[in-house]
Amino acid sequence: MIRNFVKWVWRGSVIGLLTGSASAVLLLGLEYATDARNRHPWLLFLLPLGGALVSLLYWKFGSSSSKGNNLVIERIHDGSEAVPFRMSVLVLFGTLVTHLFGGSAGREGTAVQMGGSLAETFGKWIKAGAFDRKILLICSVSGGFGAVFGTPLAGAMFGLEVAAIGIMSYEALVPCFTASFVGHLVTTRLWGVHHVSYPQMIAPEFSLPVVFKVMAASILFALASICFSELTHALKRLFATVFRNPVLKSAVGGLIVIGLVYAVGSRAYLGLSLPLISDALDKDVPTFAFLWKLVFTSVTLGAGFQGGEVTPLFAIGATLGNTLADVFHLYGPFLAALGFIAVFCGATHTPIACFLMGIELFGSNGAVYMFLACLISYLFAGYSGIYTSQRIVVSGSDRIVVPAGTTLLTRKKMLIRPNGSKQQNETTLSDDKNE
C-alpha cells in the first residue's frame, strides 16, 4: 500500500506540473488575446478567417483530435484511439484564435485536452500499462480543471465524476487529488497566474419558502443546461450537413457571430464573458443576457471553433439566476451564484464537483442551498449533456434499463419497462430520463 501510494503521489505530481504549466500558458494567452480584442475592436471582422484557419489545421493534421474532450473520455473507457500529443498544440492555438477574434467559448475543454495529451505522452514515456494510463488520464482531467479555475477540490472530484454518470473512479482518488492541487499551485505560485475572485455568498436564513424557491429555480437551471447542450449538438449536426467543407463551415459560423453582435448591439457575449459573470454576481444584468450568451456560444462551438463550454455555462447560469431573482423575490447575487454552479452541473452531470466549486468560489455560507441546487439540476437535466461520450452506468430509475456501454450519444438504446412489469418486456426509451 505504501509503495502504491508513493507511486501515485509522484505520478500525480508530475501530471499536476504538466497540466498546471499548460493551464498557465493557456490563461496568460487568453488574457493577452482578450486584452488585444478589447483594444482593437476591428479584430472581430477576422473571426471567419481565424475559424477557417483553425478548421483547416484540424482537417489536415488533427485526425482524432477533432473529437476534443470526448476523445479523452473515450480513452478513459479503454477506447482504441490514443490521445495524440498534437492535440495539445492544436487546441491551444485554436482556442487563442477563437478568443482573439471574438468567438464565444470557454477554456476548460482546452485545459482538459492539453492535460490528456500530455498525460498520454507521459504514460508512454514511463511505459505504463493500460490500467495505469487510464488513471493518468483521469488525474490529468483533474489537474487541468483545478489549475484553470483555481478550484483544486472541485478539480479532484471532477476527474472522478465526469467519465461515467452514476459512479466515481475511486481508484484514481489519490492521483486526482495530487494532480489538482499541484496543478493549482504550479499555476498560481510558479507561474504567478491570478484567478478571478468572486464575492462571498450572502445566503438567506434557512426556511421552507426559500428551499422551495431554490428548487423551482434549479429546475429552470437544469432546463437551461438542456437547451445549451441540445442546441450545441444540433448546430454541430446542422453545420456539418450543410457545409461539408469544415473550412467553409467555420467561416460562415464566424459571419453569423458577427451578425449576432450587431443584432444584439453588444460585445458582452464574446469570449469568456467574465465581466458579465461579475455583473451578475454584483448587480443587475439584461433580462435575456443568459439567452444571448447561450446562442452565441452554441453557434461558435457548433461551427467548429475551439474552446470549452464550462465558462460560458457559468455565464449562462449566473445571468439566468440574476434574472430569476425578481421572479422569486430573492437576492440577485445569491441566486446568480446558485445558477453559476447548477447550470454547469446539469450539463456535465458532476454534482459533487459543482458543489465543491461553489464552496471554493463563494464560501460555505450557503452550502445547503448550493447542494440542493446541484442535486435538483442533476436530476432534472436527464441524460442530456455536453460530453456525448459520458457513459451512463447507473440508471436514474428502477424502470430504466441501461445496456452496457451506453453513452449520452447512444442513450436512445436504453429500455424502459412498462409500469408494474419486472419482465424483460421493454420498449425503447425515446429521449432522456425526464420522459
Side-chain angles (χ1 to χ4, degrees):
M1 291 299 295
I2 294 176
R3 287 177 57 187
N4 190 64
F5 178 79
V6 172
K7 179 183 80 171
W8 284 114
V9 166
W10 86 261
R11 286 185 177 182
S13 298
V14 172
I15 296 299
L17 177 63
L18 294 174
T19 55
S21 298
S23 296
V25 172
L26 169 65
L27 292 173
L28 292 172
L30 288 176
E31 184 179 344
Y32 174 81
T34 302
D35 181 64
R37 187 184 73 244
N38 291 334
R39 286 187 290 107
H40 305 291
W42 56 266
L43 286 173
L44 174 65
F45 298 101
L46 298 180
L47 183 61
L49 181 61
L53 172 61
V54 173
S55 290
L56 177 63
L57 292 176
Y58 268 85
W59 188 20
K60 297 297 184 182
F61 308 108
S63 184
S64 60
S65 299
S66 59
K67 291 184 177 181
N69 287 357
N70 287 308
L71 177 61
V72 177
I73 295 176
E74 289 174 7
R75 184 62 171 165
I76 290 174
H77 292 305
D78 302 319
S80 58
E81 291 181 300
V83 183
F85 177 77
R86 62 178 174 270
M87 172 186 270
S88 59
V89 179
L90 287 171
V91 73
L92 175 62
F93 176 76
T95 301
L96 294 180
V97 167
T98 297
H99 286 272
L100 176 64
F101 297 132
S104 176
R107 51 196 172 173
E108 163 271 341
T110 306
V112 168
Q113 292 173 52
M114 292 170 68
S117 64
L118 294 173
E120 187 90 313
T121 302
F122 174 66
K124 293 178 181 178
W125 181 65
I126 63 174
K127 299 180 180 179
F131 178 79
D132 284 7
R133 287 192 185 184
K134 170 184 174 181
I135 303 301
L136 289 174
L137 277 176
I138 293 174
C139 68
S140 74
V141 174
S142 291
F145 191 95
V148 82
F149 292 122
T151 54
L153 284 176
M157 192 56 62
F158 185 78
L160 298 174
E161 283 189 293
V162 72
I165 299 174
I167 63 170
M168 294 187 191
S169 304
Y170 282 110
E171 67 272 20
L173 183 58
V174 170
C176 281
F177 180 83
T178 305
S180 186
F181 269 86
V182 171
H184 170 63
L185 292 175
V186 167
T187 303
T188 55
R189 302 292 178 84
L190 182 62
W191 288 84
V193 175
H194 298 286
H195 295 287
V196 178
S197 59
Y198 297 107
Q200 296 294 285
M201 176 181 285
I202 301 176
E205 291 186 8
F206 185 82
S207 66
L208 285 180
V210 176
V211 167
F212 289 132
K213 290 178 180 180
V214 168
M215 292 176 65
S218 299
I219 294 174
L220 297 178
F221 294 147
L223 293 177
S225 73
I226 293 173
C227 290
F228 175 80
S229 300
E230 296 305 316
L231 179 60
T232 302
H233 297 324
L235 287 177
K236 285 182 179 181
R237 293 191 296 268
L238 178 63
F239 275 111
T241 301
V242 176
F243 305 103
R244 297 302 178 92
N245 187 310
V247 177
L248 178 61
K249 174 183 70 175
S250 295
V252 172
L255 290 173
I256 294 175
V257 171
I258 294 174
L260 286 172
V261 168
Y262 284 93
V264 178
S266 172
R267 298 193 176 208
Y269 309 107
L270 301 178
L272 295 171
S273 295
L274 294 181
L276 188 63
I277 297 175
S278 297
D279 288 347
L281 293 167
D282 183 55
K283 52 188 178 182
D284 291 334
V285 294
T287 302
F288 294 106
F290 73 94
L291 182 60
W292 286 120
K293 184 60 181 177
L294 189 154
V295 172
F296 269 78
T297 307
S298 293
V299 170
T300 299
L301 298 178
F305 285 86
Q306 295 302 309
E309 302 94 342
V310 172
T311 303
L313 286 169
F314 294 160
I316 294 167
T319 51
L320 176 57
N322 188 286
T323 295
L324 292 176
D326 289 336
V327 177
F328 292 106
H329 303 289
L330 291 171
Y331 182 48
F334 164 70
L335 204 54
L338 294 184
F340 183 106
I341 58 175
V343 173
F344 168 45
C345 175
T348 59
H349 306 283
T350 55
I352 307 302
C354 295
F355 168 63
L356 291 176
M357 169 172 272
I359 291 178
E360 288 183 293
L361 294 179
F362 306 117
S364 60
N365 188 35
V368 173
Y369 295 118
M370 291 183 202
F371 190 81
L372 181 62
C374 291
L375 173 64
I376 298 299
S377 181
Y378 170 75
L379 291 175
F380 280 83
Y383 292 124
S384 175
I386 57 176
Y387 305 132
T388 55
S389 293
Q390 271 185 314
R391 282 193 183 177
I392 306 168
V393 179
V394 178
S395 169
S397 168
D398 59 357
R399 291 182 57 210
I400 298 176
V401 181
V402 182
T406 301
T407 67
L408 294 186
L409 182 63
T410 61
R411 66 190 183 191
K412 291 187 178 181
K413 294 181 179 180
M414 294 188 296
L415 306 172
I416 183 167
R417 299 187 182 94
N419 277 324
S421 173
K422 293 186 178 180
Q423 305 299 320
Q424 292 303 314
N425 180 24
E426 293 118 352
T427 55
T428 302
L429 180 67
S430 63
D431 205 329
D432 60 33
K433 69 185 179 190
N434 299 342
E435 297 184 358

